Amino acid sequence: MTKPDQHSLHALGIETSCDETAAAVVEMTPAGGRIVSNVVLSQIAEHSAFGGVVPEIAARAHVEALDGVIAAALAEAGVELRDLDLIAATAGPGLIGGLIVGLMTGKALAAASGLPLVPVNHLEAHALTARLTDGAAFPYLLLLVSGGHTQVVLVRGVGSYERWATTIDDALGEAFDKTAKLLGLPYPGGPAVEAAAARGDVSRFNLPRPLRGEARPDFSFSGLKTAVRQAANQLAPVSQTDIDDICASFQRAIVDTLTERVGRSLARFRAEFPDIASPTLVVAGGVAANEAIRSGLEKLCAEHGMRIVAPPAALCSDNGAMIAWAGLERMRAGLVGDNAQSFAPRPRWPLDEDAAPLVGHGKRGAKA
Ligand code: KG4
Ligand code: ZN
């Protein structure tokens, strides 16, 4: 690579917080960002026999794969460490074993190359991805829907977040995964449930819409999962048509309840920021890949006069590019301290440190 001009910065991003070993090189210019390389090695095959992520297997797989994944990201970008301006590594939240592997590798590379290290909050990386892909301007509202989190967050700026809503029990991705598991569908459950739902009858089962109509903007999904279990038990053994119909009814209930709940935060955003030029909802996290959910949210945003930005599915799920970008954003905002070498991984690391924990929230804490 030719040496970048002074106005562009390049970062290596390292992501190991859950079941993806990922590394990427991203460029930041005054005009925006560009992904130069993005390598993601999924561990789905290692975990699928267990129906979920096994922390010990994940940590070991990260140890084995990370060096190769980083080398591939650098090679694909045609750069060496000395061409870069910083190294960013996920430091939390997530599974402690994986976080240690990624952050220690980042520290070692930074120490060896003399580059600054930026420990990145994985949730912040999800929150800022829409600025890399779509140049989203602050402030915007973020809906983060993943295997470990279901939150609405006001993004005021880099490092400035206010949680407006969260789940009181299961995360949305978790609800998809558990529903898939009890119907005998493969892990991860989201794509399998979506595929089955496409063939099914949305009106065959009348499933609950948890918290619907309540003024508080939070989410709840565990009752829905329980209702699915009851429906499946009553029919047992379930046929393929039963599975398809349950998935379709489940997904419809999810879209209904999610849009009703998120609508409350959209109304609040419009009321608190009546004058911004392009009010925006950013959708991030693996569940944002779901087409039915995307189109339900598109319709909802149109009703509220808001623009919706949903990064491409590959950048909604875990990747190194979002970590590199978050590191660059923090660098540009002057938020990079000089104590990164002593930064300890944080399995729990809420975006909004001031938000009160809700009952049951974060009990799994493994995925983000
Ligand atoms: O953000 P992500 O890749 O990993 C973390 O949780 O950090 O999200 C994974 C979650 C899983 O629960 C998976 O089942 C869900 O996203 N997911 C989906 C779809 N694709 C992935 N859920 C619903 N529909 C999908 N198409
Ligand atoms: Zn994530």
Side-chain angles (χ1 to χ4, degrees):
M1 188 182 78
T2 51
K3 188 65 190 155
D5 69 75
Q6 315 160 326
H7 297 299
S8 77
L9 292 172
H10 289 77
L12 169 69
I14 299 171
E15 159 60 33
T16 55
S17 67
C18 192
D19 58 350
E20 263 95 23
T21 312
V25 174
V26 173
E27 177 184 42
M28 173 188 258
T29 65
R34 182 174 71 93
I35 298 173
V36 189
S37 68
N38 191 20
V39 179
V40 181
L41 189 69
S42 169
Q43 302 176 0
I44 285 177
E46 275 98 324
H47 300 287
S48 61
F50 305 95
V53 178
V54 183
E56 292 76 10
I57 294 177
R60 182 174 293 259
H62 287 306
V63 171
E64 285 167 5
L66 185 56
D67 286 354
V69 167
I70 291 172
L74 293 173
E76 223 172 85
V79 298
E80 295 178 30
L81 282 180
R82 64 165 179 268
D83 300 316
L84 302 175
D85 299 283
L86 67 98
I87 295 172
T90 305
L95 296 170
I96 185 68
L99 293 174
I100 290 173
V101 174
L103 187 58
M104 289 303 290
T105 302
K107 285 180 181 180
L109 292 176
S113 63
L115 292 173
L117 172 72
V118 187
V120 167
N121 179 316
H122 178 97
L123 303 177
E124 176 167 59
H126 275 306
L128 298 176
T129 301
R131 291 169 53 74
L132 166 65
T133 57
D134 295 81
F138 299 128
Y140 55 81
L141 207 57
L142 167 75
L143 172 66
L144 176 62
V145 277
S146 69
H149 290 85
T150 305
Q151 299 187 348
V152 177
V153 176
L154 172 66
V155 182
R156 287 188 188 277
V158 180
S160 178
Y161 308 97
E162 202 178 294
R163 196 188 75 203
W164 282 6
T166 188
T167 176
I168 59 171
D169 42 56
D170 291 347
L172 184 50
E174 197 177 359
F176 272 93
D177 293 338
K178 287 179 175 173
T179 292
K181 196 169 181 178
L182 68 92
L183 293 174
L185 297 175
Y187 174 85
V193 169
E194 183 173 16
R199 300 183 295 260
D201 172 2
V202 293
S203 58
R204 176 157 162 214
F205 299 94
N206 187 17
L207 300 175
R209 270 64 172 161
L211 298 183
R212 182 172 208 153
E214 287 202 21
R216 64 187 293 194
D218 295 311
F219 307 94
S220 166
F221 300 107
S222 72
L224 201 43
K225 171 198 67 195
T226 306
V228 166
R229 177 177 294 119
Q230 281 163 355
N233 286 348
Q234 272 165 18
L235 294 169
V238 286
S239 67
Q240 186 59 52
T241 306
D242 295 335
I243 291 175
D244 294 349
D245 292 347
I246 291 174
C247 287
S249 305
F250 167 81
Q251 192 171 271
R252 169 57 63 88
I254 291 282
V255 172
D256 280 356
T257 190
L258 188 71
T259 49
E260 191 269 344
R261 304 279 74 216
V262 172
R264 306 214 167 230
S265 293
L266 298 192
R268 178 176 169 192
F269 185 81
R270 294 297 270 146
E272 288 197 17
F273 300 96
D275 300 326
I276 53 176
S278 181
T280 301
L281 176 74
V282 168
V283 189
V287 184
N290 186 290
E291 286 298 332
I293 290 176
R294 276 186 187 227
S295 59
L297 291 170
E298 273 163 21
K299 202 163 143 263
L300 179 76
C301 284
E303 285 164 15
H304 286 262
M306 287 182 70
R307 177 172 84 112
I308 184 166
V309 170
L315 295 175
C316 280
S317 54
D318 294 349
N319 63 85
M322 69 178 191
I323 306 302
W325 178 252
L328 290 163
E329 289 258 37
R330 290 194 79 82
M331 170 77 91
R332 184 165 63 181
L335 293 172
V336 175
D338 50 13
N339 56 351
Q341 283 292 344
S342 57
F343 196 99
R346 295 185 60 179
R348 267 190 60 79
W349 186 1
L351 256 190
D352 178 353
E353 308 247 11
D354 299 330
L358 291 189
V359 181
H361 170 67
K363 64 183 171 342
R364 188 165 75 142
K367 299 193 80 190

